[in-house]
Amino acid sequence: MLTDDFHVFDTTLRDGAQREGISYSVGDKLAVARLLDTLGVGFIEGGWPGAVPKDTEFFARAADGELKLEHATLVAFGSTRKAGVGVAVDAQVRALLDSRASVVTLVAKSDVWHVERALRTSLEENLAMVSDTVSFLVGEGRRVFLDCEHFFDGYAHDRDYGVRVLEAAQEAGADVGVLCDTNGGMLPMGIAEIVAEVRSRVGIRLGIHTQDDTGCAVANTLAAVSAGVTHVQGTANGYGERAGNANIFSVIGGLVFKMGLDVLPAGTIGESQRVAHAIAEIANLAPDTHAPYVGSSAFAHKAGLHASAIKMGPELYNHMSPELVGNSQKILITEMAGRASVELKSAELGVDVTGRPEVVSSVVERVKEREAGGWSYEAADASFELLVRDELAGGSFSAPFELESYRAIVDRREDGTVVTEATVKVHADGRRVISTAEGNGPVNALDRALRQALGDVYPRLAEFELTDFKVRILPGKHGTDAVTRVLIETADAAGDWTTVGVHPNIIEASWLALADAVRFGLLPPSA
Amino acid sequence: MLTDDFHVFDTTLRDGAQREGISYSVGDKLAVARLLDTLGVGFIEGGWPGAVPKDTEFFARAADGELKLEHATLVAFGSTRKAGVGVAVDAQVRALLDSRASVVTLVAKSDVWHVERALRTSLEENLAMVSDTVSFLVGEGRRVFLDCEHFFDGYAHDRDYGVRVLEAAQEAGADVGVLCDTNGGMLPMGIAEIVAEVRSRVGIRLGIHTQDDTGCAVANTLAAVSAGVTHVQGTANGYGERAGNANIFSVIGGLVFKMGLDVLPAGTIGESQRVAHAIAEIANLAPDTHAPYVGSSAFAHKAGLHASAIKMGPELYNHMSPELVGNSQKILITEMAGRASVELKSAELGVDVTGRPEVVSSVVERVKEREAGGWSYEAADASFELLVRDELAGGSFSAPFELESYRAIVDRREDGTVVTEATVKVHADGRRVISTAEGNGPVNALDRALRQALGDVYPRLAEFELTDFKVRILPGKHGTDAVTRVLIETADAAGDWTTVGVHPNIIEASWLALADAVRFGLLPPSA
């Protein structure tokens, strides 16, 4: 267990849920909280009990034993009491007690403009609201943090008022005053300056909450820490309203690897990539492949020429070792592919080509030949792996099926309806199968017909889902026709994989990528 | 025209093209350069002539008149001469001259580890390589900027060597020494400190190039500017290797709106969102909806308790006015959906809608409705112009033909040959024509069948060439199926135009874009 010296405070489930399109079930919230606990954050802000019914239920189920946390403390979020209302009878404040969370974050206005124009109360009443609510909750045995909303904008309007809010909170017993850049318009230089000024004026421990509207949320958080803040708020993958919140994985990466602060329990930071991707899945959003530290491309190198240099000295080309955050280095196989990159890439995919120089040579040859014809393996690891396995098996690597022929028909009728059907004839498991299916397009129809044909032999096919389909027309070279390159991403419960097909005909290019997708997905786990 | 006091230097087409999955055609590169020029950047680094054949062709076509820039200067990128080779006979250096670019960025090693372990030459020879290559190019009348690769890592290894590289460059006549955080591991505090130290030691003007591996690329760039740098490098949408480069839209936003520096020509910053999205389309990547400043959700507020407050005092809830970057506050409303932008865009296309407020209203309505269904006019001016002309003509704008029906068949035979044919039935010039054609794919076959059917009536069709075809699958909304968006670029001797089609079926989406391409191409010149 960590000491209380530094707080990593996650608000994925509260502020992060403000992102357009995110809608967690209570079960989702419990799963996200467990993942964040695995990462080792100190605090998990779970929601706003009393204001959001799902959040009320979440806290009830968590308190009733559905959420066992090893590292983190669960936090309930709420507002200071209403203007002109006694704190003990404020229903929203009572709901915070009812949530049974031992820590409460209260949001308070700290900008005179917001007090007067949005809250429409007096500056003194707002201070009393802070003071009353903090005292009441502390009196009930709760630990209280105060989120000072619009603190930085407020500092520009009246640099004393925010300080008075912090003083009121401290006097009433709050533990942390969190300076929030709610509108997200700050840069790190301004953050560092204001944090330093505020620190010199108040005694309460300070925290930071940033939004990414200038693209500086992570840097703003780190700048606040170097100015003396010891409580940082962020969300998984930077989810949040508008441009999002500070990405907690990047904040943690900066604190641990760049600033040398041990803000997580020993051994948990290696869970970063897994937690980041799993939360994306639960939020039903594609993980950002280019996210710092945890993106699947965060350590990807396209430099074919430099692959041999990277092989010899990865520390020359990576800002840190990717394994520290559970990530790995990725070599992109491009036109310039040499032996070194084929070896590195194969090792990365778990295919052993050591001691097989002739296999490496023929893979290099085939890749060069195919790339000259428009193929690209850069984004199609699965097709590349199949190619290496084919070469390793001397061309006799077994395929799960053989195609005899297919036909796809798209019919746009006089009434405007469009009907598509495809027929495939395949051989699998010693049988010849003819299968016809309709689809919302020719590739979809072919995909359905193929799965239908193979479904009896390979029931696992039912779990595969075609999740992305990209098409690119490549201009012809030296007087040849243009070719079409199709990339298909397929997923099942265990992960996703990308395959490529290239042909002058878009349907045949799609077919080649589809066939590879099925072949790859059906590889035995030990292959 | 801006003065030379501050350089906004874009490297979308060079370093940005290192992003996994990006592969621009030469036509794409020309289109991206034109968009960047519209935004008003000072320099556009177009690629590495001599090293990448497509880049050589890009510079040749640009110099031969295909790229007319209003604001920007085109820059060629290359390396210092090889170790032990005379600069005048170094093929790669000669290719820089042959590119006819007036400005050259040279990349040089500035980290002793890289000189000794990657380049494998002596520290003195590396300085001579910088000196020789800069002198040679300056002697040939070129303006030279020097990218000091791995400068910050190098500063940690030997804080004098990078300074010696900068001194060598300045003595040889280079104008700017760009400090590159090539591995992207820096934070703004370290950047500001090192930039200030280096500034106190050298006389050469300094620039900054950052990568986003800590999630701080934008902040690092802005921190360097506040420490005295007057040349910033970035890429559209932050595209680049690994976690990407500094996003030029965020950098410009920070410089202009947060630091008060007028780094763009008057009036161009409002193009930010349009340029950001159009470049994403060309790169065939979905625009990041949550990008600072330019993302469609960057000023989106989840409708709730504060909706009326936001309406009354938007300045309380937005860090700036979204219109300044061509963005808008409302969710799901894109840049094209406002009256003013429809008027501006129509004027730009040469369609007069002044004094026709009802036409503008109905265009706004149709665009909103179609964009909700997945259409995007950001990269499809020709389809947008047809839509405006349709509305101007009150729905009676004459079409050159009417479709009755079509059918496309793709047959992959047992011997592996793929045969495609399409039949279209159309009405044109009072006649009904049935035409069947083969093609190398269904869209090509439909295109041929349509041209064949209409060739007698419209001989100009023979000159049209389908030059690009892009496909994107858009995830379904509200439980509907996914839809396919097709962008088609068509060219004739007079120019090129892009049209869009959206439908669940890729063939029908392609047909809609094809039909618009033919309609647009056949518009009378005075239309």
Side-chain angles (χ1 to χ4, degrees):
Chain A
M1 202 63 184
L2 275 177
T3 68
D4 195 52
D5 292 349
F6 197 97
H7 295 177
V8 176
F9 182 106
D10 182 278
T11 180
T12 303
L13 294 174
R14 203 273 307 167
D15 211 27
Q18 292 292 107
R19 178 180 161 120
E20 217 182 318
I22 283 189
S23 173
Y24 298 115
S25 68
V26 175
D28 289 341
K29 297 190 83 152
L30 291 164
V32 168
R34 288 183 198 110
L35 285 161
L36 291 167
D37 187 49
T38 311
L39 180 66
V41 305
F43 298 91
I44 297 171
E45 192 168 66
W48 192 337
V52 180
K54 261 195 300 198
D55 292 356
T56 309
E57 184 188 339
F58 166 77
F59 281 98
R61 288 172 57 179
D64 286 342
E66 280 195 63
L67 187 63
K68 298 197 191 324
L69 299 174
E70 187 185 348
H71 303 293
T73 302
L74 193 60
V75 181
F77 173 90
S79 172
T80 53
R81 70 158 171 82
K82 288 201 171 60
V85 173
V87 65
V89 297
D90 186 302
Q92 190 262 143
V93 175
R94 300 241 45 121
L96 290 170
L97 292 181
D98 294 344
S99 77
R100 290 175 274 168
S102 62
V103 180
V104 171
T105 299
L106 284 178
V107 61
K109 301 282 182 204
S110 61
D111 174 357
V112 292
W113 286 20
H114 276 265
V115 174
E116 291 169 345
R117 292 167 57 189
L119 198 60
R120 300 188 177 198
T121 190
S122 72
L123 298 176
E124 290 308 320
E125 171 63 3
N126 181 56
L127 292 173
M129 288 154 63
V130 169
S131 186
D132 289 357
T133 319
V134 173
S135 301
F136 176 76
L137 291 169
V138 170
E140 295 286 337
R142 303 305 191 271
R143 185 176 188 187
V144 179
F145 302 158
L146 193 82
D147 272 1
C148 299
E149 209 191 42
H150 299 286
F151 185 88
F152 294 93
D153 293 344
Y155 208 73
H157 303 143
D158 176 346
R159 58 180 54 203
D160 293 326
Y161 190 71
V163 168
R164 290 177 66 197
V165 170
L166 288 166
E167 286 166 349
Q170 186 181 17
E171 279 160 29
D175 268 357
V176 184
V178 184
L179 313 184
C180 301
D181 182 21
T182 311
N183 288 348
M186 296 297 292
L187 302 185
M189 295 76 82
I191 292 271
E193 192 185 315
I194 294 175
V195 167
E197 278 180 27
V198 172
R199 261 195 95 203
S200 73
R201 296 180 64 185
V202 298
I204 192 170
R205 173 182 188 149
L206 296 179
I208 186 78
H209 173 113
T210 63
Q211 301 283 141
D212 204 30
D213 299 76
T214 63
C216 295
V218 170
N220 285 348
T221 303
L222 301 177
V225 172
S226 52
V229 148
T230 55
H231 167 117
V232 296
Q233 299 195 351
T235 65
N237 306 319
Y239 296 151
E241 203 174 28
R242 307 190 311 275
N245 288 49
N247 184 334
I248 199 129
F249 303 109
S250 302
V251 167
I252 290 171
L255 292 170
V256 172
F257 301 114
K258 305 303 171 187
M259 296 173 74
L261 299 169
D262 288 331
V263 299
L264 293 191
T268 62
I269 201 168
E271 297 290 322
S272 296
Q273 190 184 47
R274 187 180 71 82
V275 170
H277 290 192
I279 292 177
E281 288 300 330
I282 294 169
N284 204 16
L285 293 166
D288 177 3
T289 50
H290 295 265
Y293 303 99
V294 297
S296 57
S297 298
F299 298 91
H301 294 271
K302 198 166 181 173
L305 283 171
H306 297 295
S308 57
I310 293 171
K311 198 176 162 188
M312 284 186 308
E315 71 283 8
L316 290 177
Y317 299 92
N318 285 330
H319 70 105
M320 60 179 278
S321 167
E323 288 73 21
L324 294 172
V325 287
N327 206 337
S328 55
Q329 181 169 288
K330 190 165 162 187
I331 299 293
L332 304 176
I333 296 294
T334 72
E335 290 166 60
M336 306 303 287
R339 298 183 59 86
S341 35
V342 165
E343 282 167 15
L344 272 178
K345 184 74 198 178
S346 301
E348 177 192 316
L349 295 172
V351 186
D352 188 6
V353 293
T354 51
R356 301 290 300 274
E358 81 293 354
V359 167
V360 174
S361 300
S362 54
V363 169
V364 168
E365 279 314 299
R366 277 185 67 185
V367 167
K368 279 191 184 165
E369 192 184 293
R370 293 198 132 189
E371 293 200 328
W375 292 71
S376 167
Y377 290 96
E378 191 180 301
D381 280 0
S383 287
F384 179 75
E385 183 174 335
L386 289 171
L387 188 152
V388 176
R389 290 189 184 279
D390 278 347
E391 290 298 326
L392 266 176
S396 66
F397 183 59
S398 75
F401 67 92
E402 292 289 337
L403 176 72
E404 181 184 311
S405 67
Y406 66 73
R407 172 182 295 160
I409 302 175
V410 180
D411 219 336
R412 199 265 196 196
R413 296 177 180 164
E414 214 175 327
D415 63 2
T417 57
V418 185
V419 178
T420 306
E421 68 168 56
T423 299
V424 299
K425 301 180 184 178
V426 295
H427 298 258
D429 198 28
R431 285 185 290 168
R432 177 170 184 258
V433 189
I434 302 181
S435 162
T436 299
E438 292 188 321
N440 59 18
V443 179
N444 181 239
L446 276 168
D447 184 36
R448 288 187 185 173
L450 178 64
R451 288 162 189 245
Q452 192 173 289
L454 301 176
D456 287 346
V457 184
Y458 304 108
R460 279 170 58 204
L461 267 174
E463 293 162 28
F464 297 0
E465 194 191 351
L466 194 162
T467 49
D468 198 14
F469 176 74
K470 289 202 177 88
V471 178
R472 180 91 202 186
I473 308 299
L474 307 164
K477 283 176 188 168
H478 312 300
T480 60
D481 271 343
V483 295
T484 301
R485 179 163 71 213
V486 170
L487 286 170
I488 283 180
E489 187 186 282
T490 310
D492 67 7
D496 56 62
W497 58 96
T498 303
T499 52
V500 59
V502 174
H503 195 271
N505 191 311
I506 187 173
I507 304 301
E508 175 67 3
S510 304
W511 170 265
L512 294 170
L514 270 182
D516 261 11
V518 169
R519 277 182 73 199
F520 185 86
L522 292 176
L523 282 179
S526 59
Chain B
M1 202 63 182
L2 275 177
T3 67
D4 195 49
D5 293 349
F6 196 98
H7 295 176
V8 176
F9 183 105
D10 181 278
T11 181
T12 304
L13 294 173
R14 203 274 305 168
D15 210 27
Q18 293 292 107
R19 177 182 162 117
E20 201 179 338
I22 283 190
S23 172
Y24 298 115
S25 69
V26 176
D28 288 341
K29 296 191 82 152
L30 291 164
V32 168
R34 287 182 199 112
L35 285 162
L36 291 166
D37 187 49
T38 311
L39 179 66
V41 305
F43 299 91
I44 297 171
E45 191 166 68
W48 192 339
V52 181
K54 261 194 300 196
D55 292 356
T56 310
E57 184 188 337
F58 166 77
F59 281 98
R61 286 172 57 179
D64 286 342
E66 280 194 64
L67 186 62
K68 298 197 191 328
L69 299 175
E70 189 185 346
H71 304 293
T73 302
L74 193 61
V75 181
F77 174 91
S79 171
T80 53
R81 69 161 171 81
K82 286 202 173 59
V85 173
V87 64
V89 297
D90 186 303
Q92 189 260 143
V93 175
R94 301 241 43 122
L96 290 170
L97 292 180
D98 294 344
S99 76
R100 290 174 276 168
S102 62
V103 179
V104 171
T105 299
L106 284 178
V107 62
K109 301 280 183 207
S110 60
D111 174 356
V112 293
W113 286 19
H114 276 266
V115 174
E116 291 168 344
R117 293 167 58 190
L119 197 60
R120 302 187 174 199
T121 190
S122 72
L123 297 177
E124 290 308 317
E125 171 64 2
N126 181 56
L127 292 173
M129 286 155 64
V130 169
S131 185
D132 289 357
T133 320
V134 173
S135 300
F136 177 76
L137 290 169
V138 169
E140 295 284 339
R142 301 305 191 273
R143 184 175 189 188
V144 179
F145 302 158
L146 193 83
D147 272 0
C148 299
E149 211 189 42
H150 299 285
F151 186 87
F152 294 93
D153 293 344
Y155 208 75
H157 303 143
D158 176 346
R159 58 180 54 205
D160 293 325
Y161 189 70
V163 168
R164 290 177 66 197
V165 170
L166 288 167
E167 286 166 347
Q170 185 180 19
E171 278 159 28
D175 268 357
V176 183
V178 183
L179 313 184
C180 302
D181 183 21
T182 311
N183 288 348
M186 297 296 293
L187 302 185
M189 294 75 83
I191 292 272
E193 192 185 316
I194 295 175
V195 167
E197 278 179 28
V198 173
R199 259 195 96 204
S200 73
R201 297 180 63 185
V202 298
I204 192 169
R205 173 183 188 149
L206 296 180
I208 185 79
H209 173 113
T210 63
Q211 301 283 141
D212 203 30
D213 299 76
T214 62
C216 295
V218 170
N220 285 349
T221 304
L222 301 177
V225 172
S226 53
V229 148
T230 55
H231 168 116
V232 295
Q233 299 196 352
T235 65
N237 306 318
Y239 296 151
E241 203 173 27
R242 306 189 313 275
N245 288 49
N247 184 334
I248 199 132
F249 303 109
S250 302
V251 168
I252 290 171
L255 292 170
V256 171
F257 301 114
K258 307 301 173 187
M259 297 173 73
L261 298 169
D262 289 330
V263 299
L264 293 190
T268 62
I269 200 166
E271 297 290 324
S272 296
Q273 192 186 48
R274 185 178 74 83
V275 169
H277 290 193
I279 291 177
E281 288 296 337
I282 293 168
N284 206 11
L285 292 167
D288 177 2
T289 50
H290 295 266
Y293 303 100
V294 299
S296 57
S297 299
F299 298 92
H301 294 270
K302 241 180 181 172
L305 291 170
H306 296 295
S308 59
I310 292 170
K311 203 174 161 191
M312 282 187 308
E315 72 282 8
L316 290 177
Y317 298 93
N318 285 329
H319 70 105
M320 60 179 279
S321 168
E323 288 74 22
L324 294 171
V325 285
N327 208 336
S328 58
Q329 179 162 299
K330 271 168 112 182
I331 299 170
L332 296 181
I333 304 255
T334 75
E335 53 168 331
M336 293 308 299
R339 300 182 59 87
S341 23
V342 165
E343 283 166 12
L344 271 177
K345 188 74 198 174
S346 302
E348 183 192 318
L349 296 172
V351 186
D352 189 5
V353 293
T354 51
R356 302 290 300 273
E358 81 293 353
V359 168
V360 174
S361 300
S362 53
V363 170
V364 168
E365 279 313 300
R366 279 184 66 182
V367 168
K368 277 187 194 172
E369 193 183 293
R370 294 197 131 191
E371 292 197 332
W375 293 71
S376 166
Y377 290 97
E378 274 157 14
D381 280 0
S383 287
F384 179 75
E385 181 173 336
L386 289 170
L387 189 151
V388 177
R389 289 188 185 280
D390 278 347
E391 290 298 327
L392 265 178
S396 66
F397 183 58
S398 73
F401 67 92
E402 292 289 336
L403 175 72
E404 183 183 311
S405 66
Y406 66 72
R407 172 183 296 159
I409 302 175
V410 180
D411 219 336
R412 200 266 195 195
R413 296 177 180 163
E414 216 175 325
D415 63 2
T417 57
V418 185
V419 178
T420 305
E421 67 168 53
T423 300
V424 300
K425 302 180 184 176
V426 295
H427 299 257
D429 198 29
R431 285 184 293 168
R432 177 171 184 256
V433 190
I434 301 181
S435 163
T436 298
E438 291 188 323
N440 59 18
V443 179
N444 181 239
L446 276 169
D447 184 37
R448 287 187 185 171
L450 178 64
R451 288 162 192 246
Q452 191 173 289
L454 301 176
D456 287 348
V457 184
Y458 304 108
R460 279 169 59 202
L461 267 174
E463 295 162 29
F464 297 178
E465 195 191 352
L466 194 161
T467 50
D468 199 12
F469 176 73
K470 289 197 176 94
V471 178
R472 159 110 23 93
I473 308 298
L474 306 165
K477 282 176 189 169
H478 311 300
T480 60
D481 272 343
V483 295
T484 302
R485 180 163 72 212
V486 169
L487 286 170
I488 283 179
E489 187 187 281
T490 310
D492 67 7
D496 56 60
W497 58 97
T498 302
T499 52
V500 60
V502 173
H503 195 270
N505 191 311
I506 189 175
I507 305 300
E508 175 67 4
S510 304
W511 169 266
L512 294 171
L514 269 183
D516 261 11
V518 168
R519 278 183 72 199
F520 184 86
L522 292 176
L523 282 179
S526 59

